[in-house]
Amino acid sequence: MAVTLSDAAFDRAVNEAIDQVPEQFLALLDNVVILVEDDPPEDDPDMLGVYDGVPLTERGDNYGFVAPDRIILYRNPLKDMCETTDELVDEIAVTVVHEIGHFFGIDDDELDEMGWG
């Protein structure tokens, strides 16, 4: 059964998850915006989040004057997969770290090995 949580409370949980990321990593998130949308693309309805951008490991010396990279969390699939608010808050935190990991060039297999899959 999906968790019932207001949009405002969900957004607070996202902000709290971001606040838990160590400052030395947040300081490196250059030109990145973190967004929340209700639903993922129709072709992947179970997607919890996505990193859309150029990973730090692939940016050259002349990287600049580009639109911000985006980390998008998808509210409805996250709420649908969780049975309690505590479980949802934990899954939001995992998803935030997972997508930040992609910014740093870490792939899904490595994130899974680290426990952030």
Side-chain angles (χ1 to χ4, degrees):
M1 183 172 178
V3 173
T4 301
L5 191 69
S6 71
D7 290 353
F10 187 97
D11 293 346
R12 278 193 302 279
V14 171
N15 287 331
E16 290 170 8
I18 294 166
D19 288 344
Q20 293 175 13
V21 175
E23 183 58 39
Q24 65 264 33
F25 296 119
L26 288 178
L28 296 172
L29 286 179
D30 183 39
N31 202 37
V32 178
V33 62
I34 299 175
L35 306 167
V36 174
E37 294 182 4
D38 286 333
D39 296 300
E42 289 182 16
D43 62 337
D44 197 352
D46 297 324
M47 184 186 309
L48 304 179
V50 67
Y51 168 72
D52 177 28
V54 178
L56 192 59
T57 54
E58 296 177 18
R59 294 180 181 187
D61 292 336
N62 295 325
Y63 184 83
F65 299 105
V66 296
D69 292 4
R70 300 179 314 150
I71 291 173
I72 305 170
L73 302 180
Y74 296 110
R75 184 184 336 265
N76 289 331
L78 282 161
K79 288 168 57 175
D80 289 345
M81 73 175 293
C82 298
E83 295 183 15
T84 68
T85 301
D86 287 342
E87 185 182 357
L88 176 59
V89 168
D90 288 343
E91 191 57 46
I92 289 169
V94 167
T95 305
V96 165
V97 170
H98 182 98
E99 300 310 332
I100 289 173
H102 287 316
F103 167 81
F104 287 107
I106 304 171
D107 68 25
D108 283 327
D109 290 337
E110 292 172 299
L111 287 163
D112 285 343
E113 289 175 21
M114 291 183 224
W116 298 105

